PDB file of all heavy atoms in Angstrom:
ATOM      1  N   PHE R   1       0.803  -1.220   0.000  1.00 95.00           N
ATOM      2  CA  PHE R   1       0.000   0.000   0.000  1.00 95.00           C
ATOM      3  C   PHE R   1       0.840   1.276   0.000  1.00 95.00           C
ATOM      4  O   PHE R   1       0.328   2.362   0.306  1.00 95.00           O
ATOM      5  CB  PHE R   1      -0.964  -0.026   1.186  1.00 95.00           C
ATOM      6  CG  PHE R   1      -1.866  -1.231   1.161  1.00 95.00           C
ATOM      7  CD1 PHE R   1      -1.860  -2.163   2.190  1.00 95.00           C
ATOM      8  CD2 PHE R   1      -2.692  -1.471   0.071  1.00 95.00           C
ATOM      9  CE1 PHE R   1      -2.665  -3.289   2.150  1.00 95.00           C
ATOM     10  CE2 PHE R   1      -3.505  -2.594   0.016  1.00 95.00           C
ATOM     11  CZ  PHE R   1      -3.493  -3.502   1.054  1.00 95.00           C
ATOM     12  N   GLY R   2       2.113   1.175  -0.366  1.00 95.00           N
ATOM     13  CA  GLY R   2       2.913   2.353  -0.653  1.00 95.00           C
ATOM     14  C   GLY R   2       3.606   3.020   0.524  1.00 95.00           C
ATOM     15  O   GLY R   2       4.105   4.134   0.378  1.00 95.00           O
ATOM     16  N   PHE R   3       3.665   2.366   1.674  1.00 96.00           N
ATOM     17  CA  PHE R   3       4.363   2.924   2.827  1.00 96.00           C
ATOM     18  C   PHE R   3       5.813   2.427   2.824  1.00 96.00           C
ATOM     19  O   PHE R   3       6.082   1.298   2.417  1.00 96.00           O
ATOM     20  CB  PHE R   3       3.673   2.522   4.128  1.00 96.00           C
ATOM     21  CG  PHE R   3       2.291   3.104   4.267  1.00 96.00           C
ATOM     22  CD1 PHE R   3       1.194   2.491   3.666  1.00 96.00           C
ATOM     23  CD2 PHE R   3       2.088   4.275   4.979  1.00 96.00           C
ATOM     24  CE1 PHE R   3      -0.071   3.030   3.778  1.00 96.00           C
ATOM     25  CE2 PHE R   3       0.821   4.823   5.096  1.00 96.00           C
ATOM     26  CZ  PHE R   3      -0.261   4.206   4.496  1.00 96.00           C
ATOM     27  N   GLU R   4       6.733   3.257   3.296  1.00 96.00           N
ATOM     28  CA  GLU R   4       8.151   2.922   3.154  1.00 96.00           C
ATOM     29  C   GLU R   4       8.947   2.924   4.455  1.00 96.00           C
ATOM     30  O   GLU R   4       9.916   2.191   4.581  1.00 96.00           O
ATOM     31  CB  GLU R   4       8.814   3.908   2.175  1.00 96.00           C
ATOM     32  CG  GLU R   4       8.225   3.860   0.772  1.00 96.00           C
ATOM     33  CD  GLU R   4       8.867   4.880  -0.149  1.00 96.00           C
ATOM     34  OE1 GLU R   4       9.644   5.742   0.349  1.00 96.00           O
ATOM     35  OE2 GLU R   4       8.589   4.828  -1.365  1.00 96.00           O
ATOM     36  N   ASP R   5       8.556   3.759   5.413  1.00 97.00           N
ATOM     37  CA  ASP R   5       9.385   4.007   6.592  1.00 97.00           C
ATOM     38  C   ASP R   5       8.934   3.130   7.759  1.00 97.00           C
ATOM     39  O   ASP R   5       7.899   3.400   8.379  1.00 97.00           O
ATOM     40  CB  ASP R   5       9.298   5.496   6.956  1.00 97.00           C
ATOM     41  CG  ASP R   5      10.305   5.905   8.013  1.00 97.00           C
ATOM     42  OD1 ASP R   5      11.181   5.079   8.360  1.00 97.00           O
ATOM     43  OD2 ASP R   5      10.218   7.046   8.498  1.00 97.00           O
ATOM     44  N   LEU R   6       9.698   2.094   8.078  1.00 98.00           N
ATOM     45  CA  LEU R   6       9.371   1.167   9.153  1.00 98.00           C
ATOM     46  C   LEU R   6      10.246   1.463  10.369  1.00 98.00           C
ATOM     47  O   LEU R   6      11.479   1.469  10.282  1.00 98.00           O
ATOM     48  CB  LEU R   6       9.580  -0.280   8.692  1.00 98.00           C
ATOM     49  CG  LEU R   6       9.362  -1.386   9.729  1.00 98.00           C
ATOM     50  CD1 LEU R   6       7.931  -1.346  10.274  1.00 98.00           C
ATOM     51  CD2 LEU R   6       9.662  -2.756   9.112  1.00 98.00           C
ATOM     52  N   LEU R   7       9.601   1.715  11.504  1.00 98.00           N
ATOM     53  CA  LEU R   7      10.285   2.007  12.766  1.00 98.00           C
ATOM     54  C   LEU R   7      10.032   0.856  13.737  1.00 98.00           C
ATOM     55  O   LEU R   7       8.879   0.434  13.897  1.00 98.00           O
ATOM     56  CB  LEU R   7       9.759   3.322  13.372  1.00 98.00           C
ATOM     57  CG  LEU R   7       9.738   4.539  12.453  1.00 98.00           C
ATOM     58  CD1 LEU R   7       9.071   5.716  13.157  1.00 98.00           C
ATOM     59  CD2 LEU R   7      11.138   4.903  12.003  1.00 98.00           C
ATOM     60  N   LEU R   8      11.072   0.380  14.390  1.00 98.00           N
ATOM     61  CA  LEU R   8      10.948  -0.773  15.280  1.00 98.00           C
ATOM     62  C   LEU R   8      11.426  -0.412  16.677  1.00 98.00           C
ATOM     63  O   LEU R   8      12.558   0.037  16.868  1.00 98.00           O
ATOM     64  CB  LEU R   8      11.762  -1.953  14.735  1.00 98.00           C
ATOM     65  CG  LEU R   8      11.379  -2.449  13.331  1.00 98.00           C
ATOM     66  CD1 LEU R   8      12.347  -3.522  12.865  1.00 98.00           C
ATOM     67  CD2 LEU R   8       9.940  -2.956  13.306  1.00 98.00           C
ATOM     68  N   VAL R   9      10.530  -0.620  17.654  1.00 98.00           N
ATOM     69  CA  VAL R   9      10.860  -0.396  19.055  1.00 98.00           C
ATOM     70  C   VAL R   9      11.010  -1.760  19.723  1.00 98.00           C
ATOM     71  O   VAL R   9      10.069  -2.555  19.723  1.00 98.00           O
ATOM     72  CB  VAL R   9       9.766   0.428  19.760  1.00 98.00           C
ATOM     73  CG1 VAL R   9      10.077   0.583  21.246  1.00 98.00           C
ATOM     74  CG2 VAL R   9       9.605   1.792  19.099  1.00 98.00           C
ATOM     75  N   ASP R  10      12.174  -2.039  20.261  1.00 96.00           N
ATOM     76  CA  ASP R  10      12.456  -3.326  20.915  1.00 96.00           C
ATOM     77  C   ASP R  10      12.045  -4.513  20.046  1.00 96.00           C
ATOM     78  O   ASP R  10      11.252  -5.373  20.472  1.00 96.00           O
ATOM     79  CB  ASP R  10      11.738  -3.414  22.270  1.00 96.00           C
ATOM     80  CG  ASP R  10      12.213  -2.353  23.248  1.00 96.00           C
ATOM     81  OD1 ASP R  10      13.413  -2.019  23.213  1.00 96.00           O
ATOM     82  OD2 ASP R  10      11.390  -1.866  24.045  1.00 96.00           O
ATOM     83  N   PRO R  11      12.565  -4.609  18.845  1.00 96.00           N
ATOM     84  CA  PRO R  11      12.134  -5.686  17.949  1.00 96.00           C
ATOM     85  C   PRO R  11      12.811  -7.013  18.285  1.00 96.00           C
ATOM     86  O   PRO R  11      13.869  -7.044  18.938  1.00 96.00           O
ATOM     87  CB  PRO R  11      12.609  -5.188  16.579  1.00 96.00           C
ATOM     88  CG  PRO R  11      13.847  -4.401  16.894  1.00 96.00           C
ATOM     89  CD  PRO R  11      13.562  -3.721  18.208  1.00 96.00           C
ATOM     90  N   PRO R  12      12.198  -8.114  17.832  1.00 95.00           N
ATOM     91  CA  PRO R  12      12.898  -9.402  17.923  1.00 95.00           C
ATOM     92  C   PRO R  12      14.032  -9.417  16.902  1.00 95.00           C
ATOM     93  O   PRO R  12      14.133  -8.535  16.042  1.00 95.00           O
ATOM     94  CB  PRO R  12      11.812 -10.410  17.562  1.00 95.00           C
ATOM     95  CG  PRO R  12      10.895  -9.651  16.646  1.00 95.00           C
ATOM     96  CD  PRO R  12      10.894  -8.233  17.160  1.00 95.00           C
ATOM     97  N   GLU R  13      14.874 -10.408  16.988  1.00 94.00           N
ATOM     98  CA  GLU R  13      15.963 -10.526  16.010  1.00 94.00           C
ATOM     99  C   GLU R  13      15.373 -10.829  14.630  1.00 94.00           C
ATOM    100  O   GLU R  13      14.538 -11.724  14.482  1.00 94.00           O
ATOM    101  CB  GLU R  13      16.934 -11.627  16.422  1.00 94.00           C
ATOM    102  CG  GLU R  13      18.119 -11.771  15.478  1.00 94.00           C
ATOM    103  CD  GLU R  13      19.092 -12.841  15.916  1.00 94.00           C
ATOM    104  OE1 GLU R  13      18.904 -13.397  17.012  1.00 94.00           O
ATOM    105  OE2 GLU R  13      20.045 -13.131  15.146  1.00 94.00           O
ATOM    106  N   LEU R  14      15.817 -10.075  13.646  1.00 95.00           N
ATOM    107  CA  LEU R  14      15.303 -10.250  12.290  1.00 95.00           C
ATOM    108  C   LEU R  14      16.389 -10.898  11.431  1.00 95.00           C
ATOM    109  O   LEU R  14      17.180 -10.223  10.779  1.00 95.00           O
ATOM    110  CB  LEU R  14      14.869  -8.903  11.710  1.00 95.00           C
ATOM    111  CG  LEU R  14      13.822  -8.137  12.526  1.00 95.00           C
ATOM    112  CD1 LEU R  14      13.461  -6.825  11.840  1.00 95.00           C
ATOM    113  CD2 LEU R  14      12.577  -8.980  12.769  1.00 95.00           C
ATOM    114  N   ASP R  15      16.414 -12.206  11.446  1.00 95.00           N
ATOM    115  CA  ASP R  15      17.400 -12.983  10.702  1.00 95.00           C
ATOM    116  C   ASP R  15      17.034 -12.956   9.213  1.00 95.00           C
ATOM    117  O   ASP R  15      15.910 -13.289   8.845  1.00 95.00           O
ATOM    118  CB  ASP R  15      17.399 -14.416  11.229  1.00 95.00           C
ATOM    119  CG  ASP R  15      18.447 -15.302  10.558  1.00 95.00           C
ATOM    120  OD1 ASP R  15      19.062 -14.869   9.561  1.00 95.00           O
ATOM    121  OD2 ASP R  15      18.630 -16.435  11.039  1.00 95.00           O
ATOM    122  N   PRO R  16      17.961 -12.554   8.336  1.00 93.00           N
ATOM    123  CA  PRO R  16      17.670 -12.558   6.892  1.00 93.00           C
ATOM    124  C   PRO R  16      17.227 -13.913   6.366  1.00 93.00           C
ATOM    125  O   PRO R  16      16.594 -13.989   5.301  1.00 93.00           O
ATOM    126  CB  PRO R  16      18.990 -12.119   6.259  1.00 93.00           C
ATOM    127  CG  PRO R  16      19.654 -11.316   7.329  1.00 93.00           C
ATOM    128  CD  PRO R  16      19.280 -11.984   8.627  1.00 93.00           C
ATOM    129  N   ASP R  17      17.532 -14.974   7.085  1.00 95.00           N
ATOM    130  CA  ASP R  17      17.104 -16.314   6.665  1.00 95.00           C
ATOM    131  C   ASP R  17      15.906 -16.808   7.475  1.00 95.00           C
ATOM    132  O   ASP R  17      15.528 -17.979   7.371  1.00 95.00           O
ATOM    133  CB  ASP R  17      18.262 -17.308   6.819  1.00 95.00           C
ATOM    134  CG  ASP R  17      19.430 -16.980   5.900  1.00 95.00           C
ATOM    135  OD1 ASP R  17      19.176 -16.606   4.736  1.00 95.00           O
ATOM    136  OD2 ASP R  17      20.583 -17.083   6.355  1.00 95.00           O
ATOM    137  N   GLY R  18      15.316 -15.928   8.266  1.00 95.00           N
ATOM    138  CA  GLY R  18      14.245 -16.355   9.158  1.00 95.00           C
ATOM    139  C   GLY R  18      12.862 -15.917   8.717  1.00 95.00           C
ATOM    140  O   GLY R  18      12.623 -15.518   7.574  1.00 95.00           O
ATOM    141  N   GLU R  19      11.912 -15.960   9.691  1.00 95.00           N
ATOM    142  CA  GLU R  19      10.498 -15.719   9.415  1.00 95.00           C
ATOM    143  C   GLU R  19      10.221 -14.326   8.856  1.00 95.00           C
ATOM    144  O   GLU R  19       9.414 -14.161   7.950  1.00 95.00           O
ATOM    145  CB  GLU R  19       9.679 -15.886  10.701  1.00 95.00           C
ATOM    146  CG  GLU R  19       9.184 -17.283  10.961  1.00 95.00           C
ATOM    147  CD  GLU R  19       8.191 -17.305  12.113  1.00 95.00           C
ATOM    148  OE1 GLU R  19       7.976 -16.246  12.758  1.00 95.00           O
ATOM    149  OE2 GLU R  19       7.622 -18.370  12.360  1.00 95.00           O
ATOM    150  N   ALA R  20      10.846 -13.313   9.444  1.00 96.00           N
ATOM    151  CA  ALA R  20      10.532 -11.940   9.035  1.00 96.00           C
ATOM    152  C   ALA R  20      10.748 -11.753   7.544  1.00 96.00           C
ATOM    153  O   ALA R  20       9.874 -11.248   6.834  1.00 96.00           O
ATOM    154  CB  ALA R  20      11.383 -10.942   9.825  1.00 96.00           C
ATOM    155  N   TYR R  21      11.901 -12.163   7.062  1.00 97.00           N
ATOM    156  CA  TYR R  21      12.197 -12.000   5.644  1.00 97.00           C
ATOM    157  C   TYR R  21      11.368 -12.973   4.803  1.00 97.00           C
ATOM    158  O   TYR R  21      11.014 -12.672   3.660  1.00 97.00           O
ATOM    159  CB  TYR R  21      13.691 -12.188   5.394  1.00 97.00           C
ATOM    160  CG  TYR R  21      14.489 -10.945   5.720  1.00 97.00           C
ATOM    161  CD1 TYR R  21      14.781 -10.617   7.044  1.00 97.00           C
ATOM    162  CD2 TYR R  21      14.926 -10.086   4.728  1.00 97.00           C
ATOM    163  CE1 TYR R  21      15.492  -9.468   7.363  1.00 97.00           C
ATOM    164  CE2 TYR R  21      15.639  -8.930   5.027  1.00 97.00           C
ATOM    165  CZ  TYR R  21      15.919  -8.632   6.351  1.00 97.00           C
ATOM    166  OH  TYR R  21      16.614  -7.484   6.654  1.00 97.00           O
ATOM    167  N   GLY R  22      11.039 -14.136   5.366  1.00 96.00           N
ATOM    168  CA  GLY R  22      10.206 -15.083   4.639  1.00 96.00           C
ATOM    169  C   GLY R  22       8.797 -14.570   4.430  1.00 96.00           C
ATOM    170  O   GLY R  22       8.181 -14.824   3.394  1.00 96.00           O
ATOM    171  N   TYR R  23       8.251 -13.845   5.410  1.00 96.00           N
ATOM    172  CA  TYR R  23       6.886 -13.328   5.319  1.00 96.00           C
ATOM    173  C   TYR R  23       6.805 -11.991   4.580  1.00 96.00           C
ATOM    174  O   TYR R  23       5.711 -11.553   4.223  1.00 96.00           O
ATOM    175  CB  TYR R  23       6.301 -13.127   6.716  1.00 96.00           C
ATOM    176  CG  TYR R  23       5.939 -14.389   7.457  1.00 96.00           C
ATOM    177  CD1 TYR R  23       6.365 -15.636   7.022  1.00 96.00           C
ATOM    178  CD2 TYR R  23       5.172 -14.335   8.609  1.00 96.00           C
ATOM    179  CE1 TYR R  23       6.040 -16.796   7.707  1.00 96.00           C
ATOM    180  CE2 TYR R  23       4.831 -15.493   9.310  1.00 96.00           C
ATOM    181  CZ  TYR R  23       5.277 -16.716   8.853  1.00 96.00           C
ATOM    182  OH  TYR R  23       4.944 -17.858   9.531  1.00 96.00           O
ATOM    183  N   ALA R  24       7.926 -11.351   4.366  1.00 96.00           N
ATOM    184  CA  ALA R  24       7.913  -9.975   3.880  1.00 96.00           C
ATOM    185  C   ALA R  24       7.689  -9.848   2.382  1.00 96.00           C
ATOM    186  O   ALA R  24       7.413  -8.746   1.893  1.00 96.00           O
ATOM    187  CB  ALA R  24       9.214  -9.270   4.269  1.00 96.00           C
ATOM    188  N   GLY R  25       7.799 -10.936   1.623  1.00 95.00           N
ATOM    189  CA  GLY R  25       7.658 -10.825   0.183  1.00 95.00           C
ATOM    190  C   GLY R  25       8.710  -9.886  -0.388  1.00 95.00           C
ATOM    191  O   GLY R  25       9.866  -9.888   0.025  1.00 95.00           O
ATOM    192  N   HIS R  26       8.304  -9.015  -1.334  1.00 96.00           N
ATOM    193  CA  HIS R  26       9.256  -8.089  -1.939  1.00 96.00           C
ATOM    194  C   HIS R  26       9.733  -7.011  -0.976  1.00 96.00           C
ATOM    195  O   HIS R  26      10.718  -6.320  -1.254  1.00 96.00           O
ATOM    196  CB  HIS R  26       8.630  -7.437  -3.171  1.00 96.00           C
ATOM    197  CG  HIS R  26       8.541  -8.381  -4.341  1.00 96.00           C
ATOM    198  ND1 HIS R  26       8.118  -7.982  -5.581  1.00 96.00           N
ATOM    199  CD2 HIS R  26       8.822  -9.697  -4.441  1.00 96.00           C
ATOM    200  CE1 HIS R  26       8.138  -9.020  -6.410  1.00 96.00           C
ATOM    201  NE2 HIS R  26       8.555 -10.074  -5.729  1.00 96.00           N
ATOM    202  N   ALA R  27       9.053  -6.872   0.176  1.00 97.00           N
ATOM    203  CA  ALA R  27       9.504  -5.896   1.172  1.00 97.00           C
ATOM    204  C   ALA R  27      10.838  -6.310   1.793  1.00 97.00           C
ATOM    205  O   ALA R  27      11.478  -5.500   2.458  1.00 97.00           O
ATOM    206  CB  ALA R  27       8.452  -5.725   2.259  1.00 97.00           C
ATOM    207  N   ARG R  28      11.250  -7.546   1.564  1.00 96.00           N
ATOM    208  CA  ARG R  28      12.555  -7.982   2.066  1.00 96.00           C
ATOM    209  C   ARG R  28      13.699  -7.271   1.355  1.00 96.00           C
ATOM    210  O   ARG R  28      14.826  -7.253   1.845  1.00 96.00           O
ATOM    211  CB  ARG R  28      12.719  -9.494   1.892  1.00 96.00           C
ATOM    212  CG  ARG R  28      12.901  -9.941   0.440  1.00 96.00           C
ATOM    213  CD  ARG R  28      13.318 -11.412   0.325  1.00 96.00           C
ATOM    214  NE  ARG R  28      12.244 -12.277   0.737  1.00 96.00           N
ATOM    215  CZ  ARG R  28      11.312 -12.754  -0.084  1.00 96.00           C
ATOM    216  NH1 ARG R  28      11.320 -12.385  -1.367  1.00 96.00           N
ATOM    217  NH2 ARG R  28      10.383 -13.557   0.347  1.00 96.00           N
ATOM    218  N   GLU R  29      13.382  -6.664   0.191  1.00 96.00           N
ATOM    219  CA  GLU R  29      14.433  -6.020  -0.595  1.00 96.00           C
ATOM    220  C   GLU R  29      14.715  -4.593  -0.153  1.00 96.00           C
ATOM    221  O   GLU R  29      15.795  -4.064  -0.424  1.00 96.00           O
ATOM    222  CB  GLU R  29      14.031  -6.026  -2.076  1.00 96.00           C
ATOM    223  CG  GLU R  29      13.834  -7.426  -2.638  1.00 96.00           C
ATOM    224  CD  GLU R  29      13.173  -7.410  -4.012  1.00 96.00           C
ATOM    225  OE1 GLU R  29      12.902  -6.287  -4.525  1.00 96.00           O
ATOM    226  OE2 GLU R  29      12.909  -8.486  -4.553  1.00 96.00           O
ATOM    227  N   ASP R  30      13.742  -3.932   0.500  1.00 97.00           N
ATOM    228  CA  ASP R  30      13.966  -2.530   0.864  1.00 97.00           C
ATOM    229  C   ASP R  30      13.393  -2.160   2.223  1.00 97.00           C
ATOM    230  O   ASP R  30      14.131  -1.741   3.113  1.00 97.00           O
ATOM    231  CB  ASP R  30      13.403  -1.593  -0.221  1.00 97.00           C
ATOM    232  CG  ASP R  30      12.015  -1.996  -0.701  1.00 97.00           C
ATOM    233  OD1 ASP R  30      11.307  -2.716   0.029  1.00 97.00           O
ATOM    234  OD2 ASP R  30      11.623  -1.575  -1.810  1.00 97.00           O
ATOM    235  N   ILE R  31      12.104  -2.351   2.436  1.00 97.00           N
ATOM    236  CA  ILE R  31      11.484  -1.880   3.671  1.00 97.00           C
ATOM    237  C   ILE R  31      12.081  -2.549   4.898  1.00 97.00           C
ATOM    238  O   ILE R  31      12.462  -1.889   5.874  1.00 97.00           O
ATOM    239  CB  ILE R  31       9.959  -2.095   3.618  1.00 97.00           C
ATOM    240  CG1 ILE R  31       9.344  -1.189   2.553  1.00 97.00           C
ATOM    241  CG2 ILE R  31       9.320  -1.818   4.979  1.00 97.00           C
ATOM    242  CD1 ILE R  31       7.889  -1.417   2.304  1.00 97.00           C
ATOM    243  N   LEU R  32      12.205  -3.863   4.879  1.00 96.00           N
ATOM    244  CA  LEU R  32      12.699  -4.580   6.050  1.00 96.00           C
ATOM    245  C   LEU R  32      14.179  -4.292   6.334  1.00 96.00           C
ATOM    246  O   LEU R  32      14.525  -3.931   7.467  1.00 96.00           O
ATOM    247  CB  LEU R  32      12.442  -6.080   5.873  1.00 96.00           C
ATOM    248  CG  LEU R  32      12.316  -6.903   7.146  1.00 96.00           C
ATOM    249  CD1 LEU R  32      11.347  -6.275   8.130  1.00 96.00           C
ATOM    250  CD2 LEU R  32      11.872  -8.320   6.795  1.00 96.00           C
ATOM    251  N   PRO R  33      15.078  -4.406   5.349  1.00 96.00           N
ATOM    252  CA  PRO R  33      16.482  -4.104   5.658  1.00 96.00           C
ATOM    253  C   PRO R  33      16.738  -2.638   5.984  1.00 96.00           C
ATOM    254  O   PRO R  33      17.734  -2.310   6.639  1.00 96.00           O
ATOM    255  CB  PRO R  33      17.224  -4.523   4.384  1.00 96.00           C
ATOM    256  CG  PRO R  33      16.210  -4.534   3.311  1.00 96.00           C
ATOM    257  CD  PRO R  33      14.921  -4.920   3.979  1.00 96.00           C
TER     258      PRO R  33
END
């Protein structure tokens, strides 16, 4: 839906090979990292 700026307060570990990147779809390329 066109949002870009993701802010994380006390986040869990976001392993590039883990769930977060697996669920993120194409957002793994820019928004998440």
Side-chain angles (χ1 to χ4, degrees):
F1 302 119
F3 295 83
E4 298 178 351
D5 190 8
L6 176 60
L7 309 175
L8 301 174
V9 176
D10 297 325
E13 182 179 354
L14 303 181
D15 183 351
D17 296 319
E19 271 190 355
Y21 279 78
Y23 287 13
H26 286 186
R28 71 169 68 90
E29 300 169 2
D30 45 21
I31 293 174
L32 206 50

